[in-house]
Amino acid sequence: PDDDDDDDDDDDDDDDDDDDDDDDALRGYGGGGAAAAAPGALPFAIVRGGSRGFRSRAPLLHAGAAPTAEVSAEQLEEIYAGIAAQRPAQDAAYEAYVAGLDEEYKASLVSRAKDLGLEVDFATGHISYAKDFVAPSPSFDLVYTRHGKTTGNTEPRVYQGYVDEPKNALNAIGLGQAEEAADKLEALGLRPDLVVLSPLARAADTGRAYVRRVPGLEAATEEWEVAAEQRFGAWDNARVMDLPAQSICHLFYLDANACVKSDKPYIAPDGTEIEGECFVEAVLRAKELLDALEARVAALERPEDAGRPLVLVYGHSMAGAALSILTGNGKVVEGAGHLGFDGPYIMPNATPVFLVKG
């Protein structure tokens, strides 16, 4: 879930860059043939530079997950299998959850999503592209980069959303990935007109690894609250293995349920209470981000012959998935009509991705 991981879990001892993975990177980050592009989707590609493309994995245990002193990989696999086996109880809990939601709230989410060309089905919890979906046409090119690796997205993984505690900071691997992402952008010779950073340290630090290399770019760099990660409420920074097996939280990653959210807030170390949001609400917030970027770019002072503006955004897995869907780069779950956003649909760590390219 959340910033929960990808193929980078084995990066401690595996830095190989095989050709097959690199080819997958050119096609997009939904590897393994498990997804299809949205109707009317704009073409995009992961910036090439020796990084591996996203590799599909089983949703319950990351490939190469290292055991900890507290729990082994074998024990984790058993725990996650036990959670998956509770699917009937999770579905029953979700049915009760939906029945208890305010009808006006549900109708509002469905209506607002429809305005974006998206369909939300509360009965299943799924979000899909409507047949008449048309990707927006921003006036700028947009490159999105998810943050580097953290302790929080290493097994045993946690819901890592709107949290900024020490375990959510870039670890040694993540710091190295941030520099590698900067290498890729630097090699392309890009000159961004605007760099927007999530205010959460793991994303901001990933972005600043590149910003500090480019003279004068700091002046064009801003931190925006709207670019932050999805808020998971009381699930935030809780280990997946420790949450009740019957909880609806597990439907988020087991069934791409875009409607579930915690009914209790996350309590930050300073006592601040942060309410949760479902993935649909994260997509609606991504629309706010896109609109804000359009307004900010329009206000930039640029030479008339400067060409198409370029914006870099440094963020997160779910925030990135939401923006990918909104820009027409969402991935449809194989054999189903709804969109995936966790597991094999997450952007790889610290890999620049063109979401909009004119």
Side-chain angles (χ1 to χ4, degrees):
D2 69 316
D3 272 343
D4 136 3
D5 270 5
D6 54 39
D7 57 349
D8 292 315
D9 282 319
D10 56 354
D11 277 353
D12 300 66
D13 52 14
D14 183 4
D15 291 323
D16 60 301
D17 300 320
D18 61 77
D19 293 337
D20 289 341
D21 284 336
D22 210 25
D23 288 341
D24 283 343
L26 293 176
R27 288 192 291 269
Y29 60 88
L42 296 172
F44 74 102
I46 290 179
V47 175
R48 203 162 178 161
S51 73
R52 289 178 290 175
F54 189 84
R55 182 186 308 151
S56 294
R57 59 166 172 78
L60 298 180
L61 182 64
H62 309 311
T68 67
E70 182 179 352
V71 59
S72 69
E74 291 76 17
Q75 289 171 321
L76 276 172
E77 185 172 7
E78 183 177 349
I79 292 169
Y80 291 150
I83 289 173
Q86 291 297 315
R87 181 62 184 274
Q90 296 158 9
D91 288 339
Y94 177 68
E95 185 176 353
Y97 165 77
V98 172
L101 290 175
D102 180 76
E103 292 299 324
E104 186 174 339
Y105 165 77
K106 290 189 286 187
S108 174
L109 279 193
V110 170
S111 176
R112 293 171 65 193
K114 183 178 180 180
D115 290 341
L116 301 179
L118 302 170
E119 295 178 349
V120 175
D121 181 2
F122 266 95
T124 62
H126 295 154
I127 185 170
S128 311
Y129 281 120
K131 291 181 179 179
D132 60 351
F133 173 82
V134 177
S137 300
S139 64
F140 53 89
D141 288 342
L142 174 61
V143 173
Y144 194 93
T145 305
R146 178 189 171 203
H147 65 78
K149 192 171 181 61
T150 71
T151 299
N153 59 21
T154 303
E155 290 286 8
R157 64 190 187 274
V158 303
Y159 270 88
Q160 185 169 251
Y162 193 83
V163 285
D164 221 0
E165 299 179 37
K167 66 182 173 183
N168 308 122
L170 295 179
N171 60 17
I173 294 172
L175 290 169
Q177 290 174 332
E179 296 298 333
E180 290 170 2
D183 289 343
K184 297 167 192 173
L185 288 172
E186 196 171 40
L188 290 172
L190 300 177
R191 178 63 197 190
D193 296 279
L194 175 66
V195 179
V196 171
L197 311 175
S198 159
L200 301 178
R202 58 191 183 274
D205 290 347
T206 301
R208 293 193 185 282
Y210 172 67
V211 170
R212 62 173 170 259
R213 297 189 187 189
V214 183
L217 191 55
E218 180 64 37
T221 301
E222 302 171 3
E223 290 189 4
W224 290 11
E225 183 71 18
V226 71
E229 180 59 307
Q230 180 178 346
R231 295 153 173 78
F232 288 102
W235 304 339
D236 250 330
N237 263 350
R239 295 191 307 181
V240 175
M241 62 177 285
D242 294 332
L243 291 164
Q246 300 84 4
S247 171
I248 62 173
C249 71
H250 301 295
L251 295 175
F252 181 84
Y253 65 94
L254 290 176
D255 192 42
N257 190 309
C259 298
V260 293
K261 69 176 179 180
S262 173
D263 60 357
K264 294 181 175 60
Y266 162 72
I267 309 298
D270 65 359
T272 301
E273 295 188 2
I274 302 172
E275 299 294 334
E277 61 184 350
C278 66
F279 183 72
V280 176
E281 290 169 317
V283 173
L284 297 175
R285 183 156 55 83
K287 177 60 166 63
E288 295 177 16
L289 171 60
L290 200 60
D291 289 346
L293 290 173
E294 191 69 67
R296 186 70 184 88
V297 167
L300 294 175
E301 296 183 1
R302 304 175 71 247
E304 291 185 5
D305 60 350
R308 190 172 167 85
L310 173 64
V311 175
L312 305 187
V313 175
Y314 286 84
H316 308 266
S317 59
M318 293 303 102
L323 194 58
S324 295
I325 288 172
L326 189 61
T327 55
N329 296 300
K331 301 296 177 178
V332 180
V333 176
E334 186 176 19
H338 62 275
L339 293 160
F341 45 83
D342 192 39
Y345 309 101
I346 296 178
M347 291 180 184
N349 287 110
T351 301
V353 177
F354 269 104
L355 292 182
V356 178
K357 187 170 177 59

